[in-house]
Amino acid sequence: MKKNIYLFKSGELKQENKTINYIIKNESQFLPIEQVEHIHVFGEMKLNKRILQLCSKYKINITFYTRYGNIIGRFVNTSYRIGKNIIEQTKTYLDTLKCNKIIYKIILASSRNCLSLLKYYKKEGFDLENIIINIESEIERFKTINTKSVNYREVAMLFEARIKQKYYKLFDVILKNSDFEFVERINNPPGNEFNAMMSFGYSLLYGDLLNSIEKSNLIPEISFIHGHSRHTSGSLQYDLADIFKPHIIDRLCLRMVRSNLIKLENFYKTSSGGIFLDEEGRRIFVREYDKQLNKTVKDIRNNRSYSYKQFLSREVYKLSDFVIKGYEYTPVYFKW
């Protein structure tokens, strides 16, 4: 399986001997071109047309992040999307019934994955029964909403918000007696250390989903849930990320705190009051994130095992098959 590459130090990317040379202060580090799938750049990076041509040839995308971990841009290798597929995605967005079906399935899968994470920690002895009961009740109510309704998207998103508010109570239960607290979801900028970890992790997840979307028949600019609430060049990754956040990012953040892999000294506070991971903190997080992506779990839809990274691309292609070919779409549900 090809790898993600994470570049933290400022430097230069050059083509040399038909591979990538990552140069930091005149020291070279060669990246095996055949093994690279996606490059995440966190530092200042100098590059030229030759390195972009090489990345395009080997279908390597590059995502650039701010010092705070937010995506600011990306290089995408040459796209060969067919016009009729873009039309089909547009038609799906405009088709109320078909679009609402996607919204229903994604929000239901996201909610069920939140619930399964709660049940996992309940088995570990945490008192989460009331939260589980409340979310199960919300999910049952969500299932009764008429998907033929013109304002279904807005109503469904309200249910999603209520479920997330209940789900977020998980974090302070698990974080009790640690140096970290959650309190509430605070981002833009993150208001405490745990929120800073979540925001950074979500940005990495968005970047990897964008990478998969760009290699599919779909375009990220047309989403089905967050299209009206995000002022960005792409938003389909936000739709799909909700399915994976509980098991890839939220669980990872909790594990890192409980295992003392991350400490309060790995964060810093800006003059505006935002709290972010420092460079060492980002390195630690990325190392564990990459391990998480490569973990294999069973897909209950076909009883086969895949890595989380494979699940990301599979989910994109499952949605693409529904939009373009009309195949049935059943989002992944992780069950322990």
Side-chain angles (χ1 to χ4, degrees):
M1 184 185 299
K2 291 189 175 182
K3 302 176 182 177
N4 283 353
I5 301 294
Y6 306 90
L7 307 181
F8 292 95
K9 294 289 186 182
S10 297
E12 181 179 6
L13 292 178
K14 294 183 68 175
Q15 175 185 326
E16 192 169 327
N17 297 325
K18 296 183 180 180
T19 193
I20 301 173
N21 186 5
Y22 175 36
I23 304 171
I24 310 171
K25 296 180 180 179
N26 297 321
E27 292 188 5
S28 294
Q29 177 183 343
F30 289 94
L31 308 178
I33 192 75
E34 300 281 359
Q35 299 177 25
V36 179
E37 177 181 7
H38 186 194
I39 300 175
H40 299 258
V41 177
F42 297 93
E44 299 293 328
M45 197 61 60
K46 181 180 178 182
L47 37 79
N48 58 28
K49 186 170 68 175
R50 291 184 68 208
I51 190 66
L52 296 181
Q53 286 175 330
L54 184 69
C55 288
S56 182
K57 178 181 178 180
Y58 286 91
K59 295 181 171 54
I60 298 171
N61 291 349
I62 307 174
T63 302
F64 299 91
Y65 299 82
T66 67
R67 59 180 295 192
Y68 302 128
N70 298 316
I71 297 174
I72 54 171
R74 63 192 194 278
F75 167 76
V76 180
N77 64 79
T78 305
S79 172
Y80 296 99
R81 291 192 184 93
I82 301 172
K84 67 177 183 180
N85 291 341
I86 298 175
I87 293 172
E88 287 301 322
Q89 190 173 347
T90 305
K91 285 168 63 177
T92 298
Y93 178 83
L94 296 174
D95 184 328
T96 300
L97 292 180
K98 197 171 182 181
C99 184
N100 287 353
K101 189 173 184 180
I102 294 173
I103 294 169
Y104 170 78
K105 292 198 170 190
I106 288 178
I107 292 180
L108 182 60
S110 171
S111 302
R112 292 177 73 191
N113 283 328
C114 288
L115 195 58
S116 70
L117 189 65
L118 282 158
K119 290 180 178 179
Y120 168 79
Y121 281 109
K122 181 190 172 186
K123 288 179 181 177
E124 288 205 349
F126 290 96
D127 184 12
L128 299 166
E129 185 63 28
N130 287 338
I131 302 175
I132 290 171
I133 291 172
N134 288 334
I135 290 180
E136 286 177 335
S137 177
E138 288 287 355
I139 290 174
E140 290 307 311
R141 290 178 59 204
F142 170 69
K143 290 178 180 178
T144 67
I145 308 172
N146 184 5
T147 56
K148 296 180 181 180
S149 171
V150 176
N151 66 338
Y152 179 78
R153 179 188 286 110
E154 290 74 20
V155 176
M157 289 182 72
L158 287 174
F159 265 91
E160 179 191 35
R162 285 204 296 269
I163 289 170
K164 283 291 177 66
Q165 282 182 337
K166 292 174 170 59
Y167 163 73
Y168 285 150
K169 294 178 182 178
L170 156 78
F171 298 121
D172 279 326
V173 174
I174 307 299
L175 295 172
K176 190 177 181 180
N177 300 324
S178 76
D179 292 332
F180 291 77
E181 62 177 3
F182 174 75
V183 184
E184 61 180 330
R185 181 71 180 115
I186 309 167
N187 59 344
N188 199 29
N192 59 36
E193 289 81 4
F194 196 79
N195 272 278
M197 291 173 65
M198 292 175 70
S199 292
F200 184 69
Y202 291 167
S203 286
L204 292 173
L205 182 60
Y206 298 149
D208 281 327
L209 277 166
L210 265 174
N211 185 53
S212 293
I213 293 168
E214 293 288 359
K215 293 179 179 180
S216 74
N217 289 318
L218 300 175
I219 60 171
E221 289 77 15
I222 300 177
S223 69
F224 304 102
I225 302 175
H226 297 99
H228 296 288
S229 59
R230 299 277 185 172
H231 301 286
T232 61
S233 60
S235 51
L236 183 57
Q237 72 273 20
Y238 300 120
D239 293 358
L240 295 175
D242 283 343
I243 298 171
F244 296 99
K245 285 178 180 178
H247 285 255
I248 295 181
I249 304 301
D250 298 348
R251 187 186 179 198
L252 172 60
C253 291
L254 289 169
R255 180 174 63 81
M256 290 181 69
V257 170
R258 296 182 69 206
S259 302
N260 293 316
L261 292 171
I262 201 86
K263 297 178 174 58
L264 293 180
E265 53 261 37
N266 295 127
F267 299 83
Y268 69 95
K269 189 173 184 178
T270 64
S271 58
S272 61
I275 296 177
F276 300 92
L277 284 161
D278 64 11
E279 183 175 321
E280 179 61 20
R282 292 198 299 270
R283 285 181 181 275
I284 294 169
F285 192 98
V286 160
R287 181 190 68 208
E288 298 303 316
Y289 170 75
D290 209 50
K291 288 181 184 177
Q292 185 81 351
L293 280 188
N294 288 293
K295 283 184 179 178
T296 57
V297 291
K298 185 169 290 186
D299 188 340
I300 62 175
R301 296 171 297 184
N302 61 12
N303 206 37
R304 294 181 180 176
S305 293
Y306 304 95
S307 69
Y308 280 116
K309 188 175 182 181
Q310 289 173 317
F311 274 113
L312 297 183
S313 59
R314 283 175 60 82
E315 198 66 28
V316 170
Y317 283 100
K318 292 286 187 183
L319 180 59
S320 175
D321 282 345
F322 174 76
V323 171
I324 308 300
K325 301 177 182 177
Y327 296 168
E328 186 63 27
Y329 172 52
T330 303
V332 65
Y333 162 53
F334 299 108
K335 185 177 181 180
W336 281 308

